[in-house]
Amino acid sequence: MGRPYTEEERAELKIRIKELAADMFIQQGFKEFRIQQLTKQAGISLGGFYTFYKDKEALYEEILRDEKNRIRRKILTIIEEENQTPNDFFMDLAKVLLDKTTSNKFYTNEYSSLLETLVWNDDPVTAEDNLYFIRQIRKIWADKGIDISASDEELASAVAMLAILCTNKEKIGAGFDSCYQVIEKLLLDQL
């Protein structure tokens, strides 16, 4: 048995584990991710991994929470510093979602995706968290004199609708562009 880690070493190692795991999840997806491969890259034993996380699901969910919070901080900063309007926000969001859902397995994972964490409203805690985020965005716009007629719930649903559309682009096929244009028009008319 190795020596125990100091608190500083534990904090540094946990960051390293999450960074390595995030890269692996992005490249491989949840299903193909192997803890043994992670521990080898991190230079720790399998038992060492379990001193930090119960299982790969717990690790994955912590990484998702961290990434969700990072993305939300970035969105708020962009809206505030770049004076992004609601129309600009939803147009940029759709572009980012289209890009990420085709290039990053973190966004479309078979276990639990970043999109689910960011936008789905299917449980009360997530729904309230999403509404709180929408209220933060709305406050920035209100402080800039931009009034939005849609309710917080409608805005949260619009974000979820964009995510659903973008994650199903391949299934929708040739009709995607026309479907996207209809949703875009409906969405922008509500703002």
Side-chain angles (χ1 to χ4, degrees), residues 3-15 51-52:
R3 69 169 177 79
Y5 297 116
T6 66
E7 285 302 313
E8 184 177 315
E9 289 171 329
R10 283 187 59 78
E12 289 173 8
L13 187 53
K14 188 169 185 176
I15 290 168
T51 65
F52 292 97

Side-chain angles (χ1 to χ4, degrees), residues 25-76:
F25 283 127
I26 288 168
Q27 297 300 314
Q28 302 170 358
F30 182 82
K31 189 175 182 179
E32 300 301 318
F33 176 90
R34 299 289 178 260
I35 294 173
Q36 294 84 352
Q37 187 180 10
L38 170 66
T39 58
K40 185 176 180 180
Q41 286 186 26
I44 61 171
S45 68
L46 196 57
F49 170 83
Y50 290 110
T51 65
F52 292 97
Y53 297 99
K54 181 177 89 173
D55 51 28
K56 78 175 181 179
E57 289 83 359
L59 169 62
Y60 186 79
E61 288 170 7
E62 184 171 319
I63 292 170
L64 283 179
R65 275 190 308 276
D66 290 351
E67 185 66 6
K68 175 184 75 171
N69 292 330
R70 185 194 68 76
I71 289 169
R72 286 184 170 176
R73 284 189 307 272
K74 184 176 180 179
I75 288 170
L76 293 170

Side-chain angles (χ1 to χ4, degrees), residues 55-152:
D55 51 28
K56 78 175 181 179
E57 289 83 359
L59 169 62
Y60 186 79
E61 288 170 7
E62 184 171 319
I63 292 170
L64 283 179
R65 275 190 308 276
D66 290 351
E67 185 66 6
K68 175 184 75 171
N69 292 330
R70 185 194 68 76
I71 289 169
R72 286 184 170 176
R73 284 189 307 272
K74 184 176 180 179
I75 288 170
L76 293 170
T77 299
I78 289 170
I79 291 172
E80 180 129 34
E81 292 179 0
E82 297 180 11
N83 293 319
Q84 195 174 49
T85 67
N87 291 6
D88 294 339
F89 167 71
F90 281 103
M91 299 299 287
D92 287 352
L93 180 63
K95 289 175 191 168
V96 168
L97 290 175
L98 280 172
D99 176 57
K100 294 297 185 183
T101 56
T102 57
S103 65
N104 187 329
K105 291 185 179 187
F106 225 18
Y107 281 78
T108 57
N109 202 311
E110 61 279 349
Y111 170 69
S112 176
S113 75
L114 183 56
L115 279 180
E116 290 174 5
T117 304
L118 282 168
V119 301
W120 290 174
N121 300 309
D122 59 350
D123 73 82
V125 173
T126 302
E128 188 53 42
D129 184 50
N130 291 341
L131 287 174
Y132 175 74
F133 178 62
I134 293 295
R135 288 182 198 113
Q136 289 177 300
I137 293 172
R138 184 187 289 276
K139 181 177 180 336
I140 292 170
W141 284 326
D143 290 346
K144 294 180 182 293
I146 300 171
D147 187 37
I148 301 170
S149 60
S151 69
D152 293 341

Side-chain angles (χ1 to χ4, degrees), residues 98 101-102 108-110 116 120 163-177 179:
L98 280 172
T101 56
T102 57
T108 57
N109 202 311
E110 61 279 349
E116 290 174 5
W120 290 174
I164 291 167
L165 182 64
C166 293
T167 52
N168 290 290
K169 181 179 182 182
E170 298 302 317
K171 292 177 188 172
I172 296 168
F176 175 82
D177 288 337
C179 183

